[in-house]
Amino acid sequence: MTLGGLTLVALTGDAAFGQQLQRQVAERPQEPIELVIVADPEKTVKALSSAGARGVALYDLRGSGSSHHNLLAAIPIISRAGPVIGLVDSEATQIAQAAVAAGAIDVIAVGDLSAVVLRRAMRYALARRDSERKLTRLRLFDPITSLPSQILFWEILSLAVRRAKRNRDFFAVLLVDIENLPDGHGEDGAYQDLAMRELSERILPTLRGSDTIARFEAQQLAILAESMPRVEDIQIVAEKIIEEVGRPLSIGIGPVALNAAVGISLYPTSATVAEGLLSRATDAMLQARERGANMFVFA
C-alpha cells in the first residue's frame, strides 16, 4: 500500500509534538501525507470524515493514567470515522492496554516514533481497518446475493418491532422457502447459489423501497414489509413472489420448475417479538409446503 494521498489527523495539545510530526511527515516526500493537527475529538472526527477511507488518527495519550476515562471514551467515537493509533509513553502502561481495549487499532511509544514507524503504523491501521470492514460485510451480507444475512435480518426485524410498538404500526414477515433448486456447479458457481441470486434480483423490484429482503437460509428468503395496513396488500406481495419463482431460470442448465412455499406472520396479531414472528412464519411456511406447490399461508 502506498501512502500517497493519505491524511494523518493528530489529536494533541502539544505544539512541540505537532512540529515534530511535521518534520517526520516531510522526511519522505515520495510518500506524501497530509497532516492535520487538532485539539479535540470532535474536530478529529470531522477531519477523518473529510479524509474518507484514507484517514488515520494519531491520538496523543502521553501523561495519561489508566483512570483517564474521558480520554478513553473518545476512542470509540473517533474510530467510527477512521482507525485510531494511540501515542503513549510506553506500550507497557495501563493506558496503552486500555486504549486498545477501547478500540485503538495500535499504540506507539513516543520514544519509538519516527518517519518510518509512523508510515508503517499507518499502513497497518488502514489494512486492519479494511480487513475488519470486509469481515463485517461477510458477516452481515450474503456474498452470493449481496442481500442482508440472517444475522442482519434479525437486527432489522428487532428494530422494526420497536418502531411498531412505539408507533402502534402493523407489519408482515414473509418466509419464502424455494423448492427444487438445481444441484451441481457451473462455470460461475453452484447452481443453487446462482438460482438464489437470480430469484432475489427478480423479487427485489416487486417490493417497496422500505421493505427488506434477506437470504435467511441456503434456500430461504425472508422479507420484512413494514407499514402494510391491509392483509390484502400482503397477499399481493406473496402472489408476486410466487409468480417470480415460477418463471424459468437463466443460469444455463435448461428449464427448471421451481416452487415456493411462503409463510406469513403479522405484527402484532401473530406475535409481538422478533423470535415469535419468525417462529410463526416458519410454521406457516411448513403448512404451505404441505398444501402443495406455490402456496402461501398466514400464521
Side-chain angles (χ1 to χ4, degrees), residues 180-201:
N180 301 331
L181 283 169
D183 295 324
H185 287 71
E187 294 182 359
D188 297 324
Y191 288 139
Q192 289 194 4
D193 284 337
L194 295 175
M196 291 299 290
R197 181 167 63 193
E198 183 174 332
L199 289 176
S200 65
E201 290 172 352

Side-chain angles (χ1 to χ4, degrees), residues 258-270:
L258 297 182
N259 298 321
V262 183
I264 307 168
S265 61
L266 307 175
Y267 177 93
T269 55
S270 300

